Amino acid sequence: MKTILVPTDFSEAAYNAARYALGLARQLQTARIVLYHAYELIVPIPDIPTTVPMVNSDELRAASLEGLEKMIRELSPLLPENVQLEPRAENHLLPANIDQMCKQEQADLVVMGITGGSQLEEMLIGSNAVDVLKHTSCPVIVVPSDARFTAIRKVVFAADFRKIVAHTPIAPLKKLLDTFKPELHVLNIDHDNKHFNPDTPYETLLLDTLLEGYNPQFHFVDSTDVVQGIMDFAEKEQADLILVIPRKHGFFENIFKRSRTTQLAFHSHIPLLAIHE
């Protein structure tokens, strides 16, 4: 893994994610970490009055770079040997530009922080981390604000055993498993076999076949709350990472219902790795 991209807004959650990325770089022998600040310049609309003061674009960029340099200075004592820490600042909306930045920097992984919020905050405010999860094809690790880096040795892969071949990005999944070489626990949460159907045993066998060589251990847990069931299992197993593959939802479902990936990102105390299908 050569490059890790760390979006930052200079918050404590962002600093915590950057420290996590440094630990990850040491484990994975990463060559470079890119600290990326996407700032948005407010552009006045003609004939529409506004009380928001306009900021000079050069001053905004200078302030962004100053923040990045300060961050580099504070993180440098933790920097692993032979790892480069590089600043990037651009006048963009983070979610809209994150995929392009990943391609431009040839990033293998995005690591960013999140602060747990209430259900109302999840519904109305959202999070940059959640927006990044939705807008990039690059694997993303979301680091909770209270999480500290521990070497990734044990991974819980939350799977639903539905259309495994169609919805499992097997190439990037295997690439990450080859990188981490973890003890792999595949977890399915259900209640009273509500989602069990005639294809479930076959789908389970398909996933076992796809993961051949990684020695997956399969677990079937009964719980009325899928998200809580995943978190409880991961904490009981002392997992270092929860792995999910977010499914694409319909337009109206996205408006009125937060996905399980989003709920996990907000509430898990264990870092969450999302790989898009």
Side-chain angles (χ1 to χ4, degrees):
M1 186 167 291
K2 295 181 179 179
T3 301
I4 297 175
L5 182 69
V6 182
T8 179
D9 59 2
F10 309 121
S11 65
E12 179 50 41
Y15 267 85
N16 186 55
R19 290 189 290 267
Y20 184 94
L22 293 177
L24 197 58
R26 182 178 288 106
Q27 178 184 355
L28 304 181
Q29 298 183 325
T30 299
R32 60 198 284 263
I33 295 174
V34 177
L35 297 176
Y36 174 48
H37 182 227
Y39 58 90
E40 182 187 3
L41 179 64
I42 299 173
V43 179
I45 302 174
D47 303 323
I48 296 182
T50 178
T51 58
V52 179
M54 296 300 109
V55 181
N56 180 280
S57 60
D58 292 336
E59 292 178 356
L60 199 58
R61 178 173 176 78
S64 177
L65 289 172
E66 183 180 347
L68 287 168
E69 293 298 339
K70 178 177 180 290
M71 198 171 184
I72 288 174
R73 287 195 303 273
E74 294 186 12
L75 293 173
S76 289
L78 304 175
L79 190 64
E81 189 177 356
N82 299 323
V83 177
Q84 297 294 320
L85 198 54
E86 303 175 8
R88 296 288 184 274
E90 287 190 342
N91 177 20
H92 282 293
L93 282 171
L94 177 61
N97 197 57
I98 187 65
D99 218 29
Q100 181 59 36
M101 177 57 65
C102 286
K103 293 173 184 175
Q104 179 180 315
E105 297 296 336
Q106 297 182 314
D108 302 291
L109 182 67
V110 174
V111 174
M112 67 183 303
I114 192 169
T115 302
S118 68
Q119 186 176 17
L120 182 62
E121 287 172 326
E122 289 179 50
M123 293 175 62
L124 300 180
I125 301 173
S127 159
N128 271 339
V130 171
D131 288 338
V132 166
L133 280 173
K134 292 179 180 179
H135 289 90
T136 182
S137 55
C138 188
V140 179
I141 291 182
V142 177
V143 183
S145 58
D146 58 353
R148 301 297 177 264
F149 177 77
T150 57
I152 296 172
R153 308 294 185 204
K154 184 182 289 189
V155 172
V156 169
F157 175 17
D160 61 8
F161 300 128
R162 299 183 206 171
K163 299 182 179 179
I164 290 296
V165 173
H167 295 301
T168 302
I170 195 62
L173 174 60
K174 286 187 173 182
K175 180 180 179 181
L176 284 162
L177 291 176
D178 287 338
T179 298
F180 293 124
K181 297 179 174 59
E183 179 182 313
L184 181 62
H185 294 261
V186 179
L187 173 65
N188 177 255
I189 302 289
D190 203 350
H191 178 60
D192 290 337
N193 292 323
K194 180 180 178 181
H195 298 293
F196 187 93
N197 61 61
D199 291 331
T200 301
Y202 175 65
E203 294 288 342
T204 306
L205 180 61
L206 275 178
L207 184 56
D208 190 33
T209 302
L210 288 173
L211 295 174
E212 184 178 6
Y214 300 99
N215 302 314
Q217 300 176 44
F218 285 79
H219 306 267
F220 299 85
V221 173
D222 188 290
S223 176
T224 56
D225 187 323
V226 173
V227 170
Q228 192 62 50
I230 293 171
M231 290 191 297
D232 288 346
F233 179 86
E235 289 176 5
K236 183 186 73 173
E237 290 293 327
Q238 297 183 316
D240 304 301
L241 199 64
I242 297 172
L243 167 63
V244 295
I245 299 173
R247 293 290 180 89
K248 295 175 181 176
H249 297 287
F251 176 73
F252 291 104
E253 187 174 4
N254 274 336
I255 291 177
F256 294 110
K257 182 181 178 182
R258 283 289 189 179
S259 71
R260 288 170 181 165
T261 301
T262 299
Q263 293 176 56
L264 276 170
F266 268 103
H267 296 294
S268 175
H269 298 290
I270 298 171
L272 176 74
L273 168 61
I275 309 173
H276 283 277
E277 60 179 318

